[in-house]
């Protein structure tokens, strides 16, 4: 039972991160019908930027409680700029090209970002400085620490804020109009290009937050961390129903739980044949299962048909 | 000038050049380069296989190297002493199946994986296939890395070594052989083996391209909805393209395992998939000759970089600032972007030749 | 006459919008049938339903002896419905000849084996298929080289190439979505002749058209859609007098 509870906690923490990244995929998909393959790398860049900023600020003697939010803001700003640039360079010129084209440029962008990051930050794992006294709390035999609590709460707050933006503000209305019908939105005076840019920037800002969260949680950052994280967050988005914001959150949390419970119990399930090193395969099988049985995802509508 | 005669002369010159290539390379650049050329041939085969999927049918397969891995591990397991460690009772010396028996089995297995992967995704939008194949490439690597316990099937990250060399008509290609009084070192022998396979792959690609099936693939690539409205069963045809591409990958993989004598998960990373994709895109999606050109260029690029970038940096900074490996990947990524933006048909677009000829002939 | 195509209470919903609202109509074998209505009335949606691109939400349709409710586009094409698209959907980077030969796909057999070994049956089939395709190109009046890429043809030629490609599938029913859109008067006139020719070969023709004059002069019967509903059906003269039709056209700002 303790194991079960512990895995639930771990799953929720991991799931919150997936949900934040999945939101980025889903927002872009909702508006452009495009899978932004490079999104995972934006998460990585966010983590790396935050790490560099943090290390520098602590070196200047700044208090960690000040350095942490400052470096988060810096990372968010950097990622927003990056997201804006990616859209302008790799996607916008191809908006009317065959579908294959933006997928290929997206892969190109991922590779470029990954290798640039490797040149800048090196191949090694970077330890994330321990900044706050990270106290552990025992609940019914399971352990949860401060950082994990902060991650869950922060993710929740951010998601609620995003929902408010999308449903309550002018910008949100414009986003929904563009998602519904780009042409009609344009006719109604919405600046479609601006909305798309803003969407990319918003998604990238969330990615930066997620990047910082993962690195703080594991105490590590690495140039390759975005790849698998991106893949899983995409799975989460599909699981929830791609294009659907609530779906991304639900899918993220669910995937986190599936993964951590799966990793916790796979040994028992397979009679010791497979261990927790197979944790990363769950997401893949979830993805396949969703695509086979419910391609529209849990909360998604039927995939739009157009002719 | 007689155009027909002209073509024939060009044809023979090319043929002679290709046949003499290993000797010329050996004499001019050294034996190490012949080995590099051999690898380039493997990559060309891979790229031609991916070209069926991406170039003809317009399906983005981002885990293509996984099928290469399936083929390679197939032969590594059945053509080496390794199974003795996993099942000492069953195979005290390992299995040591003949390469020529494993080859078709590996092709079928790779094709089977292709179907398994394609079936759930191909009825959906193309992007899903891209993601699923991307994931599959990673999964295969996780399995290769971890299937060394509790039963040691893949030997984990260390990989499997001592794979039997390929034999042709009872003659091992791993030793220098005398043929008609000409001394052929092992790398030359493999060159001719790979050349034969490449020619076969080119032939198959060419025939498919000019067939009813090939046209249906291209129709799907151009406009899936219009294709299905013309009576094309798009799902089945996409599955066929995907499975055929996977089979080509499997075949190249077995050749790779036999040639190298050693396989490990490291050879099958995402970066390899990206590299093969880059060959297809850069050369010109859908055009066999463009893809060959792309394959050749990109297979030789790392060697060229190794021999130029490192000394250059040493001379300039006294140390290696950017290692050639990441520079190579950076170039690949940039190439994917730049080509799609400015030259989507690749360096050698497929219709040029056709428009020049402009005759009404159909099948050859 | 027997009905070749019969729609019974067909409905199609997009979110809250009823693009088709319980539409019932029938098309007789051998006639030229016109479908008109203001923009957004649901005409293209109706085509998409009977060609399997959209699954209908209610009702059913009957074509050539078979009931359909949900099915796939290629099965309907094989059953004998061929179509063109309002916003031309050719295989842009393939030649005109290849475009039409792709129309032959469902009437030919060759598989991977045939492709690789080019056996006699495959060679014969390929030749016949290419011959037929060239014949169809001439038939619809494309005089440019059959090796011209579809995207390099003129607008009118592209529209006609779509018709040739559709005819290559050997349809019983040819469904044309605004075939005269963007054509000049001469082109429209020759299109009219072509459609009469096609009907004379025994193919039933159904067309969506904005050009009311063209429809009235060409069609045996006409149906009018407005906001997803069938508001009139009958011979052209009758329909023209119909007050609901007049209201629909006056009430909308186009045409
Ligand atoms: N795939 C779709 N998704 C949402 N709405 C659609 C779709 N297809 C058509 N519609 C809507 O259905 C209505 C009928 O469209 P359509 O059949 O194209 O009209 P017509 O061809 O008569 O001009 C329009 O309001 C259109 O916006
Ligand atoms: Mg229409």
């Amino acid at each position: 039972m303790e194991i079960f509870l512990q895995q639930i906690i771990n799953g929720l923490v991991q799931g919150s991160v997936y949900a934040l990244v999945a939101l980025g995929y889903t927002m872009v998909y909702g508006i452009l019908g495009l899978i932004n393959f490079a999104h995972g790398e934006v998460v990585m860049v966010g983590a790396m930027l935050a790490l560099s900023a943090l290390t520098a600020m602590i070196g200047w003697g700044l208090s960690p409680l000040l350095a942490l939010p400052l470096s988060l803001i810096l990372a968010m700003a950097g990622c927003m700029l990056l997201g804006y640039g990616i859209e302008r360079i790799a996607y916008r010129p191809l908006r009317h090209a065959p579908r294959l084209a933006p997928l290929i440029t997206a892969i190109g962008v991922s590779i470029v970002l990954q290798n640039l990051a490797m040149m800048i930050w090196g191949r090694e794992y970077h330890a994330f400085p321990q900044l706050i006294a990270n106290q552990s709390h025992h609940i019914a035999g399971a352990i949860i620490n401060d950082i994990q609590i902060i991650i869950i709460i922060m993710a929740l707050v951010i998601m609620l804020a995003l929902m408010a933006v999308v449903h309550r503000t002018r910008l949100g209305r414009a986003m929904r109009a563009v998602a519904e019908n780009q042409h009609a939105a344009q006719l109604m005076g919405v600046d479609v290009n601006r909305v798309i840019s803003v969407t990319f920037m918003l998604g990238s800002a969330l990615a930066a937050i997620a990047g910082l969260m993962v690195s703080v949680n594991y105490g590590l950052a690495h140039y390759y961390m975005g790849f698998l994280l991106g893949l899983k967050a995409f799975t989460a988005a599909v699981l929830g129903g791609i294009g659907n914001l609530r779906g991304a959150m639900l899918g993220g949390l669910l995937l986190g739980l599936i993964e951590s419970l799966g990793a916790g119990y796979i040994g028992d399930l397979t009679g010791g044949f497979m261990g927790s090193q197979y944790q990363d395969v769950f997401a893949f099988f979830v993805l396949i299962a969703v695509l086979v049985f419910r391609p529209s995802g849990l909360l998604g509508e039927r995939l739009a048909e157009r002719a | 000038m007689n155009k027909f005669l002209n073509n024939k002369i060009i044809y023979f010159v090319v043929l002679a050049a290709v046949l003499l290539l290993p000797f010329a390379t050996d004499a001019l650049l050294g034996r190490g380069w012949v080995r590099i050329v051999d690898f380039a041939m493997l990559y060309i085969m891979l790229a031609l296989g991916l070209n069926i999927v991406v170039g003809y049918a317009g399906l983005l397969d981002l885990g293509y190297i996984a099928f290469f891995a399936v083929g390679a591990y197939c032969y590594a397991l059945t053509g080496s002493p390794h199974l003795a460690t996993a099942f000492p009772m069953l195979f005290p010396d390992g299995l040591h199946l003949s390469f020529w028996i494993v080859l078709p089995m590996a092709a079928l297995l790779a094709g089977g994986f292709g179907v398994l992967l394609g079936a759930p995704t191909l009825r959906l939008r193309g992007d899903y296939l891209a993601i699923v194949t991307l994931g599959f490439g990673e999964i295969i690597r996780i399995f290769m890395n971890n299937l060394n316990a509790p039963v040691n099937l893949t030997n984990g990250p260390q990989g499997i070594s001592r794979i039997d060399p390929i034999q042709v008509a009872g003659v091992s290609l791993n030793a220098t052989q005398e043929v008609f009084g000409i001394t052929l070192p092992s790398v030359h022998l493999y060159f001719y083996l790979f050349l034969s396979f490449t020619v076969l792959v080119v032939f198959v690609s060419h025939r498919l391209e000019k067939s009813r099936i090939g046209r249906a693939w291209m129709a799907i690539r151009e406009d899936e909805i219009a294709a299905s409205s013309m009576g094309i069963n798009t799902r089945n045809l996409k599955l066929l393209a995907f499975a055929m591409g996977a089979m080509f990958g499997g075949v190249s993989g077995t050749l790779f395992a036999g040639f190298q004598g050693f396989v490990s998960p490291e050879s099958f990373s995402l970066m390899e998939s990206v590299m093969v994709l880059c060959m297809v895109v850069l050369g010109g999606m859908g055009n066999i000759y463009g893809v060959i050109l792309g394959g050749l260029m990109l297979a030789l690029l790392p060697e060229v970089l190794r021999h130029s970038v490192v000394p250059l940096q040493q001379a300039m900074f006294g140390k290696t600032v950017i290692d050639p490996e990441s520079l190579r990947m950076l170039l690949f990524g940039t190439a994917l972007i730049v080509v799609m933006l400015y030259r989507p048909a690749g360096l050698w677009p497929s219709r040029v030749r056709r428009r020049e000829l402009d005759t009404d002939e159909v099948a050859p | 006459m027997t009905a070749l195509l019969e729609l019974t209470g067909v409905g199609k919903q997009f979110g809250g919008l009823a693009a088709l609202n319980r539409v019932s109509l029938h098309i007789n074998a051998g006639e030229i049938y016109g479908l008109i209505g203001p923009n957004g009335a649901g005409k293209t949606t109706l085509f998409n339903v009977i060609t399997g691109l959209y699954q209908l939400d209610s009702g059913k349709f009957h074509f050539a002896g078979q009931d359909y409710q949900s099915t796939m586009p290629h099965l309907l094409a094989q059953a004998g419905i061929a179509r063109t698209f309002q916003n031309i959907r050719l295989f842009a980077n393939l030649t005109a000849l290849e475009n039409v030969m792709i129309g032959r796909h469902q009437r030919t057999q060759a598989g991977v084996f045939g492709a690789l070994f080019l056996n006699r049956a495959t060679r014969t089939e390929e030749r016949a298929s290419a011959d037929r395709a060239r014949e169809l190109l001439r038939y619809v009046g494309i005089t440019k080289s059959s090796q011209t890429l579809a995207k390099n043809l003129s607008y009118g030629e592209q529209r006609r190439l779509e018709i040739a490609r559709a005819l290559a599938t050997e349809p019983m029913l040819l469904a044309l979505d605004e075939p005269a859109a963007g054509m000049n008067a001469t082109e429209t006139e020759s299109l009219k002749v072509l459609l009469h020719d096609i009907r004379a070969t025994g193919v039933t023709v159904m067309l969506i058209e904005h050009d009311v004059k063209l429809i009235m002069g060409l069609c045996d019967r006409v149906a009018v859609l407005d906001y997803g509903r069938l508001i009139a059906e009958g011979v052209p003269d009758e329909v023209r007098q119909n007050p609901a039709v007049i209201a629909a056209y006056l009430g909308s700002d186009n045409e």
Side-chain angles (χ1 to χ4, degrees):
Chain A
M1 194 57 211
E2 289 94 75
I3 297 182
F4 181 73
L5 192 60
Q6 188 66 58
Q7 299 297 358
I8 295 270
I9 292 173
N10 296 348
L12 283 178
V13 174
Q14 191 64 42
S16 312
V17 174
Y18 290 158
L20 284 184
V21 184
L23 281 170
Y25 279 108
T26 260
M27 282 196 295
V28 167
Y29 190 92
I31 285 193
L32 278 181
L34 168 103
I35 296 177
N36 177 12
F37 270 108
H39 192 58
E41 307 312 327
V42 178
V43 178
M44 176 273 295
V45 171
M48 290 305 205
L49 282 178
L51 175 75
S52 295
L54 205 54
T55 320
M57 286 184 208
I58 298 219
W60 300 333
L62 232 62
S63 126
L65 282 180
L66 197 61
L68 196 61
L70 273 181
S71 51
L72 178 61
I73 290 170
L74 263 175
M76 283 168 70
C79 284
M80 284 165 84
L81 210 64
L82 182 64
Y84 175 80
I86 292 175
E87 195 268 329
R88 279 309 289 265
I89 294 171
Y91 300 145
R92 187 171 300 180
L94 296 173
R95 217 175 275 162
H96 303 288
R99 295 201 55 81
L100 204 56
L103 286 176
I104 291 176
T105 49
I107 272 293
V109 170
S110 296
I111 301 300
V112 167
L113 287 180
Q114 232 175 61
N115 284 278
L116 277 181
M118 189 170 80
M119 287 179 182
I120 297 172
W121 286 289
R123 283 173 184 279
E124 62 277 7
Y125 285 82
H126 295 274
F128 227 81
Q130 163 119 39
L131 299 169
I132 36 180
N134 189 13
Q135 278 193 353
S136 300
H137 311 274
H138 294 256
I139 327 171
I143 301 173
I144 185 167
N145 60 36
D146 287 342
I147 289 180
Q148 292 177 316
I149 295 176
I150 295 175
I151 287 179
I152 294 180
I153 292 176
M154 229 175 113
L156 216 66
V157 170
I158 289 167
M159 290 191 263
L160 289 177
L162 183 74
M163 295 301 280
V165 167
V166 171
H167 290 285
R168 296 274 150 76
T169 63
R170 264 182 61 115
L171 171 69
R173 217 170 19 249
M175 283 170 72
R176 281 179 291 142
V178 174
E180 194 68 39
N181 186 333
Q182 238 180 66
H183 189 65
Q186 187 131 39
L187 290 181
M188 293 183 323
V190 176
D191 184 345
V192 173
N193 281 336
R194 206 182 69 101
V195 169
I196 291 173
S197 286
V198 170
T199 306
F200 268 85
M201 289 163 73
L202 246 143
S204 304
L206 296 186
I209 300 174
L212 182 72
M213 283 179 173
V214 206
S215 329
V216 171
N217 188 31
Y218 290 113
L220 286 174
H222 185 228
Y223 81 95
Y224 201 64
M225 66 189 273
F227 171 64
L228 213 54
L229 189 63
L231 207 59
K232 289 177 180 178
F234 173 79
T235 304
V238 172
L239 175 62
I242 193 145
N244 181 316
L245 295 181
R246 280 190 198 84
M249 303 176 203
L250 178 70
L253 290 177
L254 264 180
L255 186 68
L257 289 175
I258 293 173
E259 249 189 27
S260 84
L261 289 175
Y265 291 101
I266 186 174
D268 297 343
L269 287 175
T270 58
F273 184 78
M274 293 165 100
S276 56
Q277 69 269 33
Y278 288 99
Q279 168 162 13
D280 291 337
V281 307
F282 288 109
F284 181 73
F285 287 112
V286 167
L287 179 60
I288 295 275
V290 175
L291 292 183
V292 172
F293 296 110
R294 202 180 156 80
S296 56
L298 295 174
L299 301 185
E301 295 158 30
R302 234 172 51 175
L303 295 182
E305 14 175 27
R306 273 262 170 220
Chain B
M1 267 304 253
N2 186 332
K3 198 174 171 189
F4 180 71
L5 194 71
N6 229 354
N7 279 345
K8 238 182 181 162
I9 291 171
I10 291 172
Y11 175 79
F12 276 111
V13 169
V14 170
L15 184 72
V18 170
L19 286 177
L20 291 176
L21 187 63
F23 291 97
T25 313
D26 195 3
L28 294 174
L29 297 164
R31 191 141 300 169
W33 277 91
V34 184
R35 206 178 147 71
I36 291 165
V37 171
D38 289 357
F39 273 112
M41 304 284 275
L42 277 176
Y43 275 116
I44 289 174
M45 276 185 250
L46 270 178
L48 284 169
L50 186 62
N51 181 48
I52 291 184
V53 186
V54 180
Y56 293 167
L59 305 165
L60 187 56
D61 182 347
L62 292 175
Y64 188 64
I65 210 75
F67 302 113
F68 185 64
V70 168
Y73 268 83
C74 250
Y75 186 51
L77 278 175
T78 55
S80 79
H82 179 73
L83 277 184
T85 42
F87 309 104
M89 310 295 276
L90 233 69
F91 310 108
D93 309 312
L95 195 51
H96 298 288
L97 284 181
S98 153
F99 172 81
W100 300 102
I101 292 174
V102 179
L103 186 72
M105 293 193 324
L108 283 181
L109 190 70
F113 269 109
V115 172
L116 224 56
L117 217 55
T121 35
L122 286 172
R123 66 203 166 89
L124 303 170
R125 299 183 26 166
D127 329 25
Y128 286 99
L129 182 76
I131 285 275
V132 167
T133 48
L134 192 68
F136 179 66
E138 208 51 25
I139 297 302
I140 283 273
R141 240 156 46 86
I142 292 177
F143 277 99
M144 288 185 305
N145 267 318
N146 290 304
L147 276 181
N148 51 352
V151 181
N152 186 354
L153 218 51
T154 62
N155 207 26
Q158 285 88 39
I160 299 173
S161 52
R162 289 193 291 149
I163 302 168
D164 300 338
I166 299 173
Q167 299 200 342
V168 177
V171 177
S172 163
L173 299 193
N174 254 30
T176 304
Q177 306 285 354
E178 290 270 333
V179 183
F180 306 124
I182 305 170
T183 314
L184 292 169
S186 169
V187 279
H188 289 44
L189 292 169
Y190 275 106
F191 174 85
Y192 292 114
L193 178 73
F194 291 176
L195 183 65
S196 329
F197 271 93
T198 308
V199 168
L200 185 72
V201 171
V202 168
F203 175 80
V204 170
S205 296
H206 185 80
R207 280 281 165 97
L208 283 173
E209 186 184 329
K210 301 279 183 277
S211 73
R212 170 176 174 267
I213 301 287
R215 279 193 302 272
W217 283 337
M218 289 185 252
I220 293 171
R221 178 191 72 198
E222 293 291 314
D223 189 330
E224 191 169 339
I225 285 176
S228 65
S229 298
M230 294 302 122
I232 291 172
N233 184 340
T234 51
R235 197 213 306 175
N236 285 359
L237 273 151
K238 285 196 280 183
L239 206 52
L240 179 66
F242 196 63
M244 294 217 52
M247 282 172 80
F248 279 30
V251 167
S252 322
T254 44
L255 289 168
F256 170 75
F259 174 51
Q260 172 144 293
F262 165 73
V263 299
S264 77
E266 219 180 299
S267 311
F268 311 108
S269 67
L270 169 69
M271 294 306 135
E272 299 291 316
S273 286
V274 171
M275 173 157 148
V276 180
L277 177 67
C278 211
M279 292 170 176
V280 176
V281 170
L282 189 67
M285 281 184 277
N287 177 28
I288 297 174
Y289 304 99
V291 170
I292 293 176
L293 177 74
L296 203 61
M297 277 169 42
L298 294 197
L300 299 182
L301 180 72
E303 307 308 322
V304 175
L305 286 182
R306 212 192 318 279
H307 289 92
S308 60
V309 171
V310 177
L312 192 71
Q313 292 188 44
Q314 293 285 358
M316 282 169 64
F317 313 112
K319 61 179 177 154
T320 311
V321 185
I322 302 170
D323 71 304
E325 173 63 12
S326 33
L327 186 63
R328 175 175 72 121
M329 290 318 299
L330 206 59
L331 286 177
F332 285 175
T334 315
L336 285 177
I337 302 169
V338 171
V339 170
M340 284 331 284
L341 289 181
Y342 299 107
R343 216 179 150 78
L347 297 178
W348 190 340
S350 62
R351 290 289 157 177
V352 174
R353 192 175 45 92
R354 184 77 74 91
R355 236 173 290 149
E356 277 171 7
L357 295 175
D358 207 53
T359 60
D360 254 7
E361 245 13 83
V362 190
Chain C
M1 275 203 261
T2 52
L4 176 63
L5 174 74
E6 183 164 9
L7 276 67
T8 322
V10 165
K12 176 71 196 173
Q13 208 81 23
F14 290 112
L17 175 92
L20 291 177
N21 194 344
R22 278 186 282 159
V23 173
S24 299
L25 54 80
H26 70 277
I27 297 175
N28 296 320
E31 67 182 345
I32 299 185
Y33 189 92
L35 191 58
I36 60 174
N39 247 334
K43 306 178 298 288
T44 299
T45 303
L46 192 139
F47 267 31
N48 287 342
V49 164
I50 62 166
T51 52
L53 293 179
Y54 289 169
Q55 304 300 318
L56 36 71
D57 296 322
S58 58
K60 62 172 196 221
F61 66 96
H62 187 90
F63 177 75
Q66 184 125 26
D67 272 335
Y68 295 93
Q69 221 156 15
S70 88
T71 183
M72 299 208 276
H74 70 270
L75 295 178
L76 282 163
Q78 279 158 23
I81 303 182
R83 70 172 292 177
T84 64
F85 295 87
Q86 182 177 347
N87 45 348
I88 304 176
R89 302 188 79 137
L90 285 164
F91 308 120
N93 293 302
L94 302 183
T95 63
L97 185 71
E98 283 168 324
N99 268 274
V100 185
M101 283 179 81
I102 288 164
R104 299 294 305 150
H105 182 88
Q106 61 172 340
R107 304 295 174 211
T108 44
Q109 308 290 326
V112 172
F113 179 87
L116 296 187
F117 297 99
L118 268 189
N119 52 340
R120 182 184 297 268
T122 308
R123 284 199 309 264
T124 317
E125 185 183 279
E126 278 287 294
R127 206 167 307 126
S129 181
D131 286 346
R132 175 75 184 133
R134 256 176 264 162
E135 199 180 312
L136 280 167
L137 284 174
R138 269 197 302 277
Y139 181 66
V140 301
I142 293 179
T143 46
K144 279 218 187 90
S145 159
S146 62
Q147 296 298 317
T148 314
L149 297 188
K151 65 177 175 195
N152 296 337
L153 290 173
S154 75
Y155 193 75
E157 286 169 325
Q158 292 193 1
R159 286 238 176 259
R160 273 174 285 155
L161 179 55
E162 266 207 325
I163 297 178
R165 182 179 69 175
L167 285 175
T169 67
E170 294 177 18
M172 282 190 269
L173 175 67
L174 177 65
L176 307 169
D177 198 343
E178 305 197 12
M183 284 189 178
N184 60 31
T186 343
E187 286 176 318
T188 307
E189 200 47 44
S190 63
L191 174 74
K192 213 160 138 183
V193 174
L194 177 65
L195 293 187
H196 273 298
D197 271 5
I198 291 172
R199 187 254 296 270
T201 63
V203 177
T204 308
V205 177
M206 176 183 193
L207 77 156
I208 296 175
E209 196 41 74
H210 267 313
D211 185 342
V212 177
K213 244 182 35 221
L214 177 71
I215 285 274
M216 296 303 176
L218 189 65
C219 298
D220 302 317
R221 286 194 308 136
V222 178
V224 187
L225 279 180
D226 189 29
Y227 290 111
R229 281 174 202 279
L230 187 76
I231 55 169
E233 190 191 23
V235 296
D237 281 332
E238 225 172 271
V239 167
R240 203 182 348 221
Q241 313 295 326
N242 189 316
V245 176
I246 295 168
Y249 270 88
L250 290 179
S252 80
D253 46 9
N254 45 67
E255 252 71 36

